Amino acid sequence: MSRIKWQHALVLIVMLLSCFSAMGKKPVLKNTTWTAVQEMFVADAGTMTITHTLEFGSDKTVKIKEVSVMPSHPAMYMNPDGTVDRIPGWTNEREEAGLYVFRKNTLTVKLEDGSEKVYLLNADGAFVTPDPLVNEMLVFTRDEKE
């Protein structure tokens, strides 16, 4: 085999090995933020946006935040003078803290209240977890601003 063919073969082998190692690679969690955005249709009100965030600390700590935003919307009734009132929008924030462990493509968060949340690492590098309220998967991707 000529020298050029060996070099091409070597380059191909290195590329394949890097692809395989990337698939089994542990994600960097320390000091990162991961976000999932969910939109939920609310009849007669519009679309509520819920932003779920995982904020990993420098140690094994994590904060799980949820911010729900409902925009203002017209009331479902008409006033005697023919006008329609506007229902003001609102925002609700919730935060939990805990410790995390990452093993075998599974992120387990043990919250301060003793409960656990489990997130699975997809092949594309995103974390997924089921949302029991709306029967859909939340997909967390790493914020690129870091």
Side-chain angles (χ1 to χ4, degrees):
M1 216 181 216
S2 72
R3 183 180 183 114
I4 292 176
K5 288 184 181 177
W6 276 106
Q7 288 175 341
H8 285 255
L10 183 61
V11 168
L12 181 61
I13 290 169
V14 169
M15 286 175 47
L16 287 173
L17 287 175
S18 67
C19 289
F20 289 127
S21 66
M23 287 175 63
K25 199 173 190 181
K26 184 177 177 180
V28 175
L29 299 176
K30 186 177 183 179
N31 296 321
T32 62
T33 302
W34 298 64
T35 304
V37 178
Q38 178 181 33
E39 291 186 341
M40 187 181 307
F41 177 72
V42 179
D44 299 322
T47 302
M48 178 170 60
T49 303
I50 306 167
T51 304
H52 305 266
T53 307
L54 300 171
E55 289 183 1
F56 295 94
S58 60
D59 46 8
K60 292 291 186 178
T61 60
V62 62
K63 289 182 184 175
I64 301 175
K65 296 181 180 183
E66 184 180 287
V67 178
S68 303
V69 178
M70 176 59 91
S72 64
H73 53 278
M76 295 180 0
Y77 55 87
M78 185 180 294
N79 295 320
D81 64 359
T83 61
V84 176
D85 293 335
R86 193 125 187 106
I87 307 297
W90 53 265
T91 299
N92 184 39
E93 296 184 27
R94 193 171 68 114
E95 183 176 312
E96 301 173 287
L99 299 174
Y100 72 90
V101 174
F102 182 80
R103 274 192 212 111
K104 297 182 181 180
N105 291 337
T106 303
L107 172 69
T108 304
V109 177
K110 185 163 186 166
L111 299 169
E112 290 175 338
D113 67 3
S115 64
E116 287 188 350
K117 292 191 177 192
V118 177
Y119 305 83
L120 301 176
L121 183 64
N122 269 352
D124 65 359
F127 282 106
V128 296
T129 191
D131 183 344
L133 295 178
V134 292
N135 198 25
E136 70 179 39
M137 295 299 277
L138 294 175
V139 179
F140 288 82
T141 56
R142 184 175 169 175
D143 291 357
E144 295 300 323
K145 63 185 174 195
E146 300 165 352

